[in-house]
């Protein structure tokens, strides 16, 4: 597109809409179409679900899928960077256990940035990505009061295996858990340039704050219930509903709407049909846990809620989004506490946001980077006046 091409005529009606649909920049890692959902570097997400998270990190940073040597090199590179440069368990022990895990995650990222920031965008992004599995595992362990005898971090393992081995849960099917988490990470890594957490991270980085500050801020944006925390709220719904009887589920949905509460796991700012990431997770659930009670409830919700939401013409997309099914799957594999679910979203997004920050800071404008974010706001209810 040429510099003079008109992309959008901005009208008064665009103001105070959260920049909905207003072009802001370009993105090299992913794009989202209303009907086909997210594509990573051109590949529709549903074609990527059998790749490892490490391979998708390679894709987001290099814009090509790796061959087997590149894939092995990426894993070796992540292993080299994995060690957390300080005693994170000691820091976690000082945090209030009643604090939300997303706040813990943001504190952890900030803390690691204080211990070690190289100032090189890519180095810092890759270091943080490599440390996320251990951060996640340690967070769980300390919050659960299992902060003694934590297994050493075996960096020869995959990222997901490192998390699972740090967590070290008894009586669970580790292979199943690892499959669910690996799929989760691949599905959630990136979602175009303008989703709130990614936008927030890039905005912070535009001040040349550190990768750690930018991504800690991005995690705070993700922690809201209209964005990432919808996955927690959705499973809390499911546990509250307690039955997959369509009549009861419909009664619940209508009751929430009557109370002016959102139906979590449905709707989207960009998508206009069922999110393919939801479709993939439903297919995985049908394979691994078709008779799980929570899975049965979301299966009914998926049928009932779009019909009820579609009665309101204001709702642009009544269909299921990415957050509908992930909680039921995580619960099924033994991660039963929904308050942690958004941290998996955060773990995944660190990779996409990291890649987008690296592009914006080191590639765009011939390597000069996007300038300091500074959109325009009009004055409202302010006339010029002077102190008498
Ligand atoms: N439940 C109830 N009301 C809804 C829903 C929903 N699922 N979706 C949209 N609406 C309402 C919305 O609040 C708005 O009301 P008002 O005009 O009174 O402000 C109206 O419908 C029009 O909204 P849309 O233009 O359809 O959607 P918008 O782009 O503003 O918001 C979401 C998108 C995702 C915030 C909205 O669909 C929502 O609140 N969904 C439930 C929360 C959720 O699942 N969020 C996760 C999204 C994905 N992610 O992970 O980030
Ligand atoms: C998502 O993954 O659906 C989001 O980050 C929300 C968005 O794209 O706006």
């Amino acid at each position: 597109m040429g510099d003079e091409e008109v992309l959008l005529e901005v009208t008064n009606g665009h103001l105070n809409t959260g920049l909905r649909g207003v072009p802001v920049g370009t993105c090299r890692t992913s794009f989202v179409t209303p009907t086909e959902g997210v594509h990573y570097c051109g590949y529709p997400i549903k074609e990527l679900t059998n790749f490892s998270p490490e391979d998708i990190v390679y894709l987001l940073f290099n814009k090509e899928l790796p061959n087997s040597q590149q894939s092995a090199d990426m894993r070796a590179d992540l292993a080299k960077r994995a060690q957390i440069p300080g005693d994170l368990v000691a820091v976690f022990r000082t945090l209030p256990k009643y604090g939300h895990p997303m706040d813990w995650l943001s504190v952890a990222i900030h803390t690691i940035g204080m211990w070690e920031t190289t100032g090189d965008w890519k180095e810092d992004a890759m270091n943080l990505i490599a440390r996320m599995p251990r951060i996640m595992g340690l967070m769980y362990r300390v919050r659960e009061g299992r902060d003694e005898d934590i297994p050493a971090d075996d960096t020869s393992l995959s990222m997901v295996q490192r998390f699972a081995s740090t967590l070290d849960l008894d009586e669970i099917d580790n292979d199943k858990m690892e499959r669910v988490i690996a799929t989760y990470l691949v599905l959630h890594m990136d979602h175009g340039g303008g989703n709130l957490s990614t936008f927030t991270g890039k905005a912070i980085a535009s001040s040349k704050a550190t990768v750690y500050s930018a991504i800690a801020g991005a995690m705070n944006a993700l922690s809201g219930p209209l964005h990432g925390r919808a996955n927690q709220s959705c499973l809390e719904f499911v546990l509250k509903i307690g039955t997959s009887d369509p009549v009861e589920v419909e009664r619940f949905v209508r009751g929430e709407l009557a109370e002016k509460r959102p139906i979590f796991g449905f709707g989207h700012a960009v998508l206009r049909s069922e999110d393919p990431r939801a479709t993939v997770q439903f297919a995985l659930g049908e394979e691994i846990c078709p008779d799980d009670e929570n899975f049965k409830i979301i299966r009914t919700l998926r049928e009932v809620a779009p019909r009820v939401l579609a009665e309101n013409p204001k709702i642009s997309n009544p269909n299921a989004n990415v957050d509908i099914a992930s909680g039921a799957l995580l619960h099924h594999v033994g991660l039963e506490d929904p308050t942690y679910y958004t941290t998996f979203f955060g773990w995944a997004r660190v990779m996409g946001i990291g890649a987008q920050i690296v592009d914006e800071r080191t590639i765009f404008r011939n390597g000069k980077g996007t300038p300091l974010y500074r959109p325009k706001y009009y004055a409202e209810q302010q006339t010029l006046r002077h102190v008498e």
Side-chain angles (χ1 to χ4, degrees):
M1 57 197 157
D3 280 355
E4 305 308 320
E5 187 181 339
V6 176
L7 300 176
L8 177 77
E9 199 183 332
V10 179
T11 66
N12 236 325
H14 286 102
L15 301 182
N16 299 332
T17 61
L19 285 170
R20 200 64 91 258
V22 176
V24 172
T26 60
C27 176
R28 299 173 76 235
T29 57
S30 65
F31 64 85
V32 182
T33 70
T35 52
E36 304 302 321
V38 71
H39 300 62
Y40 293 169
C41 302
Y43 295 105
I45 190 67
K46 58 179 188 286
E47 294 177 22
L48 297 174
T49 52
N50 290 328
F51 286 87
S52 69
E54 287 83 352
D55 284 353
I56 303 300
V57 171
Y58 184 97
L59 172 66
L60 295 177
F61 278 80
N62 297 286
K63 321 310 180 209
E64 294 295 341
L65 284 165
N67 61 30
S68 55
Q69 185 57 52
Q70 289 161 333
S71 176
D73 290 347
M74 169 57 78
R75 286 177 69 140
D77 185 44
L78 290 170
K80 256 191 353 230
R81 300 169 182 278
Q83 194 179 351
I84 295 175
D87 186 354
L88 190 58
V89 169
V91 174
F92 277 156
R93 283 189 182 125
T94 68
L95 300 182
K97 290 230 173 84
Y98 55 81
H100 194 276
M102 280 303 280
D103 295 338
W104 280 48
L105 183 58
S106 174
V107 167
I109 291 171
H110 240 138
T111 304
I112 292 175
M114 287 186 256
W115 283 327
E116 183 215 80
T117 296
T118 71
D120 178 294
W121 297 104
K122 187 167 179 198
E123 279 295 299
D124 286 334
M126 293 304 293
N127 286 345
L128 178 57
I129 290 167
R131 293 162 187 171
M132 284 302 293
R134 188 68 172 173
I135 297 174
M136 290 286 296
L138 295 179
M139 174 176 66
Y140 258 94
R141 299 269 323 208
V142 177
R143 289 177 65 91
E144 289 175 350
R146 298 192 300 124
D147 51 352
E148 305 294 339
D149 305 320
I150 300 175
D153 190 10
D154 180 353
T155 58
S156 69
L157 300 174
S158 73
M159 291 195 287
V160 174
Q161 287 167 335
R162 282 174 53 215
F163 165 73
S165 77
T166 302
L167 199 57
D168 198 20
L169 289 177
D170 291 333
E171 291 166 20
I172 60 152
D173 179 339
N174 257 313
D175 289 343
K176 216 188 217 185
M177 181 172 87
E178 286 166 19
R179 179 164 175 215
V180 164
I181 297 175
T183 309
Y184 185 111
L185 292 180
V186 169
L187 292 178
H188 287 76
M189 277 188 204
D190 210 32
H191 211 247
N195 71 81
L196 179 68
S197 45
T198 305
F199 183 79
T200 302
K202 291 185 297 189
I204 295 173
S206 80
S207 75
K208 303 208 174 163
T210 66
V211 163
Y212 294 91
S213 296
I215 295 187
M219 293 301 111
N220 299 338
L222 189 67
S223 72
L226 293 188
H227 191 12
R229 212 178 78 202
N231 60 9
Q232 169 185 336
S233 303
C234 188
L235 196 80
E236 285 166 351
F237 262 11
V238 167
L239 296 174
K240 208 173 340 159
I241 299 172
T243 165
S244 54
D245 172 15
V247 175
E248 287 304 316
V249 173
E250 180 163 343
R251 197 196 315 275
F252 179 85
V253 169
R254 290 191 185 281
E256 291 299 299
L257 290 173
E259 294 295 325
K260 307 260 176 274
R261 288 194 287 261
I263 306 305
F264 297 103
F266 293 86
H268 202 274
V270 180
L271 293 165
R272 293 296 173 259
S273 48
E274 180 172 283
D275 189 331
R277 300 169 299 174
T279 315
V280 166
Q281 293 179 81
F282 273 111
L284 179 58
E286 293 296 352
E287 186 191 328
I288 65 170
C289 57
D291 298 322
D292 178 286
E293 286 309 314
N294 296 325
F295 187 72
K296 280 160 55 183
I297 296 172
I298 60 165
R299 194 194 277 132
T300 307
L301 254 180
R302 183 194 198 187
E303 296 301 318
V304 168
R307 178 170 48 77
V308 175
L309 289 168
E311 290 170 10
N312 178 353
K314 272 196 333 190
I315 297 180
S316 326
N317 174 20
N319 300 298
N321 65 41
V322 69
D323 297 312
I324 171 84
S326 54
L329 297 181
L330 290 171
H331 193 279
H332 175 75
V333 296
L335 300 166
E336 292 184 358
D337 182 348
T339 57
Y340 289 95
Y341 293 170
T342 314
T343 63
F344 290 94
F345 201 154
W347 174 7
R349 276 291 147 96
V350 165
M351 311 186 222
I353 298 172
Q356 290 204 31
I357 288 176
V358 170
D359 286 345
E360 271 217 5
R361 305 286 14 115
T362 68
I363 307 277
F364 288 1
R365 288 208 307 163
N366 297 321
K368 269 201 316 190
T370 312
L372 183 73
Y373 278 34
R374 187 43 172 110
K376 181 177 175 67
Y377 279 73
Y378 289 89
E380 179 170 331
Q381 292 188 352
Q382 303 180 65
T383 44
L384 180 65
R385 53 185 164 166
H386 297 284
V387 176
E388 307 219 330

